[in-house]
Amino acid sequence: EAAYEGKAELIELAHSIGYTGRYQRTLIYHPTIADTLIYNNGGLVVIENLHEKHQQDFLRGHDMEITAMATSLSGKLLATGQLGSIFQKT
């Protein structure tokens, strides 16, 4: 009903399935948390436990596909990048 009144409804992401795999180094092991993968699914970063597939954390912020990822040696920092955007920033 709220969507019809011009209000956007928020949808919570519960689980992500898939890996884009188009660019190198966008699937990496977490450097300090055992059995944990960090990968992209389009513009979404997924941090996933290898033994419990439904234990995922999501990082959002990109408006296009992620093309590069790197972590610090401590695992406390994650850097991601994209080639550009089709959306004009104002």
Side-chain angles (χ1 to χ4, degrees):
E1 188 174 313
Y4 297 112
E5 297 172 7
K7 298 179 183 176
E9 291 187 38
L10 297 178
I11 298 173
E12 182 178 342
L13 180 60
H15 187 74
S16 175
I17 299 173
Y19 165 61
T20 306
R22 192 171 170 188
Y23 298 95
Q24 295 180 1
R25 297 266 318 141
T26 55
L27 172 67
I28 52 181
Y29 280 103
H30 194 285
T32 59
I33 302 175
D35 303 321
T36 300
L37 281 180
I38 304 170
Y39 60 93
N40 77 304
N41 190 351
L44 177 72
V45 174
V46 181
I47 304 170
E48 180 178 296
N49 181 292
L50 289 173
H51 302 292
E52 182 57 49
K53 296 292 185 184
H54 290 279
Q55 183 180 337
Q56 296 178 324
D57 292 307
F58 307 111
L59 303 175
R60 299 178 187 98
H62 288 276
D63 58 7
M64 296 296 291
E65 182 179 353
I66 294 169
T67 58
M69 279 199 284
T71 62
S72 64
L73 293 177
S74 68
K76 293 182 179 183
L77 299 174
L78 173 68
T80 60
Q82 66 185 44
L83 287 177
S85 179
I86 60 171
F87 302 102
Q88 183 177 359
K89 306 285 188 214
T90 57

